[in-house]
Amino acid sequence: MTDKFDKLFDFNNTYENLPPEFYRKVELEPVKGPKLLYLNKDLSEQMGISYDDLKEYGLSIFSGKEFPKGASSIAQAYMGHQFGHQTMLGDGRAVLVGEIIDKNGNRIDIQLKGSGRTPYSRGGDGKANLGPMLKEYLFSEGMNALGIDSSRSLAITLTGEKIFRNGFFDGAILTRVMNSHLRIGTFEFAFYDKNPESLKILADYAIDRHYPYIKDVDDKTSVYFRFFKEVSIRQIKAVAKWMKYGFVHGVMNTDNTSISGETFDYGPCAFIDEYNPDSVYSSIDSFGRYSYLNQPKIIFWNLGVFAKAILPLVEDEDKEAVSSINNFLQSLTIFYKEEYYKEMAKKIGFDFSNETIIELIDNLLKIMYNHRFDYTNTFYNLTYGNLDSFEMKEKEMTQWRNTWEKVLEEYDIDKNKAIDLMKSNNPVIIPRNYWVDQSIKLAEMGDFDIFERFLKELKNPFEDNEEKTLFKEFPDDFEYITYCGT
Ligand code: AMP
Ligand code: MG
């Protein structure tokens, strides 16, 4: 291979310095007919890697055929509570190729998803089909554009193979980029492995990688307790933003809850259409454990699992560890509420929240629920003053708007300023179920036009333009059911 190939990524892998139980080396089998389908130009630039070079020399890496010097090929070990039940998992259809330092000096993981079997694959084939990888690309880029910390998608490679799911589909590999793939489940694994030294090494590693600043503060509490707090805060903030935009992750297992606070693993996820807090889209979520409304409760639950896993480390330094952690966990409900209403307030033009504004928000949601209004479109029509819209013409809504305008006046907020704030907090379009479904179905049949146009618009969701007209409309009787895509 050429020098250019070797220099594409300057891999430098720290994960392999962890004790050996945390990962397994993987020998990937070469795929039949690799072909680069998508390469994310914006992301490659942010990573400080030449798009042209990647396009020319990247395929071997993205298809798992050959890796440059310094790269590795490992599957990470982890456990996880899936739908409340703990299981040993590990990367069954992903390999970590390595870490690089991006343009901003951040260490990031480069992972292949769908590249074949690993020691953790169990009965699975370790592969992925095109549809779910397109979905992950669309959602991760869309979430990032909404300002939610998310894994990113650098490339999609077709493998030239047919994958059997409920029929034959084109095989594909996603190149996923993330600040790290450490998860709550990685800590569960370390805890149950019963080697206190390994747990400490893992925690120190995660702190150095994501929260180095907590070591330097003048604080007498255990550094592991501070670590726990930081992860909790980032996760709570992320979920508040999910709720703000109507996102349903669908599979909030502890192995899918990151330590970095990034949202990832876009499987059976969806954005709500009409405002119904009980919305569930996943075909396997029979009891609605991961419904839209349950997400804050589930993140508290997941953080409880995390707390249990790192408790031995906190206890070493703090005799009151259990009560310190419990008290903090209790306080998270209030913190979540503050975050949620702070985010929601922006959607109606307030850069702060208080009892009056909370009441306004709750009343608006009640009207939306009673009239089965579309969540995204109600905020959009309110923002853009579309008084002829179905939602704005509703009597209760007119009354609500009068009250809203009075409150704006009461707080001496200029309406134009409020609307500017609303424009940057109410997207014109979202990864709308109908269009996600349509664009991926067409792409699976070889027509990528709608998918590409949709993706392009999702990258600037707050800008209203002609091209978005198509994606604003959708049949209101469309029923979306999602699958894990494995
Ligand atoms: P997920 O629901 O995507 O978070 O995956 C849960 C677990 O199942 C993880 O350990 C995955 O690596 C594993 N898994 C998912 N799909 C496959 C597959 N096709 N082959 C083997 N393992 C898989
Ligand atoms: Mg997962």
Side-chain angles (χ1 to χ4, degrees):
M1 272 289 183
T2 62
D3 199 33
K4 271 254 164 85
F5 174 78
D6 268 329
K7 289 197 172 124
L8 268 183
F9 297 96
D10 187 7
F11 284 115
N12 161 320
N13 307 326
T14 55
Y15 192 83
E16 283 173 286
N17 299 334
L18 292 179
E21 64 267 27
F22 283 104
Y23 60 92
R24 295 276 192 87
K25 289 260 180 207
V26 178
E27 286 278 337
L28 289 177
E29 268 189 40
V31 299
K32 281 205 181 95
K35 190 170 159 262
L36 189 58
L37 180 67
Y38 287 122
L39 182 61
N40 189 336
K41 191 161 191 241
D42 309 337
L43 180 59
S44 65
E45 279 161 8
Q46 283 170 37
M47 290 166 68
I49 300 178
S50 152
Y51 173 75
D52 293 332
D53 286 351
L54 271 184
K55 210 167 178 173
E56 197 169 342
Y57 305 103
L59 184 62
S60 287
I61 304 171
F62 301 142
S63 66
K65 183 172 168 233
E66 192 175 347
F67 295 138
K69 272 188 216 142
S72 50
S73 174
I74 57 174
Q76 295 178 317
Y78 51 87
M79 292 181 90
H81 275 82
Q82 299 195 305
F83 288 90
H85 305 286
Q86 197 172 39
T87 334
M88 176 60 206
L89 296 158
D91 287 332
R93 61 161 169 180
V95 294
L96 182 66
V97 182
E99 301 147 26
I100 64 159
I101 307 292
D102 74 3
K103 231 162 88 178
N104 304 320
N106 297 323
R107 176 174 300 279
I108 53 177
D109 274 5
I110 298 185
Q111 192 201 58
L112 300 182
K113 182 165 174 181
S115 50
R117 286 186 56 81
T118 79
Y120 306 108
S121 296
R122 297 188 289 185
D125 59 6
K127 300 193 173 180
N129 58 322
L130 178 61
M133 296 304 100
L134 288 170
K135 184 174 177 185
E136 178 150 348
Y137 198 112
L138 206 62
F139 271 78
S140 59
E141 294 308 295
M143 292 285 274
N144 175 63
L146 286 171
I148 300 171
D149 289 341
S150 172
S151 67
R152 302 289 304 274
S153 300
L154 180 63
I156 294 184
T157 306
L158 290 166
T159 60
E161 296 170 357
K162 292 284 179 196
I163 306 297
F164 187 74
R165 292 296 180 258
N166 53 342
F168 283 99
F169 294 91
D170 286 329
I173 298 172
L174 179 85
T175 304
R176 180 157 80 177
V177 174
M178 201 166 159
N179 285 330
S180 90
H181 287 81
L182 296 172
R183 354 152 163 247
I184 289 183
T186 320
F187 283 84
E188 287 176 66
F189 171 78
F191 174 80
Y192 282 98
D193 216 38
K194 294 208 163 49
N195 182 350
E197 201 43 42
S198 291
L199 181 65
K200 186 175 180 313
I201 293 171
L202 177 68
D204 290 339
Y205 176 73
I207 292 169
D208 280 340
R209 202 158 161 183
H210 298 297
Y211 308 98
Y213 49 86
I214 64 170
K215 291 191 298 188
D216 301 332
V217 289
D218 188 19
D219 188 330
K220 292 202 172 49
T221 59
S222 154
V223 73
Y224 303 108
F225 180 43
R226 277 178 264 153
F227 168 52
F228 175 69
K229 283 180 168 171
E230 292 294 309
V231 175
S232 302
I233 289 167
R234 282 212 204 164
Q235 280 294 345
I236 299 277
K237 284 187 173 183
V239 173
K241 284 192 178 168
W242 293 1
M243 301 303 281
K244 169 187 184 179
Y245 292 117
F247 175 74
V248 184
H249 184 280
V251 63
M252 287 177 76
N253 296 330
T254 52
D255 49 300
N256 293 336
T257 306
S258 72
I259 294 302
S260 63
E262 292 164 291
T263 302
F264 78 120
D265 256 17
Y266 297 98
C269 56
F271 278 78
I272 56 173
D273 291 305
E274 67 181 43
Y275 181 72
N276 176 3
D278 292 326
S279 296
V280 176
Y281 298 92
S282 169
S283 61
I284 57 167
D285 192 0
S286 319
F287 300 104
R289 179 181 170 91
Y290 300 141
S291 72
Y292 171 74
L293 187 66
N294 267 0
Q295 298 185 118
K297 281 184 223 140
I298 294 293
I299 204 65
F300 300 144
W301 195 91
N302 288 357
L303 290 168
V305 170
F306 183 40
K308 188 176 165 199
I310 63 156
L311 185 62
L313 298 178
V314 185
E315 270 178 333
D316 275 351
E317 295 176 6
D318 174 5
K319 286 198 184 62
E320 307 289 317
V322 174
S323 68
S324 308
I325 289 185
N326 266 337
N327 290 342
F328 179 71
L329 276 170
Q330 303 283 326
S331 74
L332 286 179
T333 323
I334 297 167
F335 177 63
Y336 168 75
K337 272 205 172 137
E338 283 169 4
E339 276 301 305
Y340 170 74
Y341 282 113
K342 206 173 78 192
E343 292 297 339
M344 292 301 286
K346 295 183 208 162
K347 287 175 91 66
I348 57 168
F350 297 92
D351 61 6
F352 61 92
S353 145
N354 63 24
E355 285 305 316
T356 313
I357 294 161
I358 289 176
E359 198 183 321
L360 263 182
I361 295 164
D362 287 346
N363 286 340
L364 177 58
L365 293 176
K366 234 178 258 163
I367 299 171
M368 283 178 166
Y369 178 67
N370 290 340
H371 295 276
R372 298 174 160 262
F373 284 167
D374 183 84
Y375 184 70
T376 304
N377 286 357
T378 305
F379 284 110
Y380 170 76
N381 287 325
L382 180 70
T383 304
Y384 288 81
N386 297 335
L387 301 186
D388 285 342
S389 64
F390 159 73
E391 295 91 357
M392 293 306 123
K393 280 203 304 215
E394 175 58 50
K395 201 168 134 240
E396 278 185 87
M397 197 63 211
T398 318
Q399 287 163 352
W400 183 89
R401 283 206 341 272
N402 286 339
T403 317
W404 170 59
E405 281 172 1
K406 271 193 210 124
V407 178
L408 283 173
E409 262 174 44
E410 213 176 285
Y411 289 100
D412 213 11
I413 297 172
D414 175 45
K415 196 166 171 200
N416 290 327
K417 278 222 172 105
I419 287 178
D420 280 347
L421 183 64
M422 289 160 73
K423 283 185 177 165
S424 53
N425 287 277
N426 293 313
V428 179
I429 60 162
I430 46 159
R432 172 75 69 185
N433 296 328
Y434 174 76
W435 286 109
V436 170
D437 188 66
Q438 288 292 302
S439 65
I440 293 176
K441 273 191 181 136
L442 285 166
E444 284 181 312
M445 291 188 286
D447 179 356
F448 291 90
D449 179 56
I450 298 289
F451 178 83
E452 285 168 20
R453 286 166 56 192
F454 191 31
L455 175 64
K456 181 162 179 263
E457 295 311 316
L458 287 174
K459 285 194 176 213
N460 62 0
F462 299 107
E463 184 193 306
D464 206 0
N465 59 21
E466 196 52 36
E467 180 64 9
K468 287 199 176 64
T469 314
L470 176 66
F471 304 113
K472 283 180 197 162
E473 277 161 30
F474 55 95
D476 55 14
D477 58 352
F478 178 71
E479 285 209 13
Y480 192 51
I481 302 172
T482 62
Y483 302 91
C484 277
T486 56

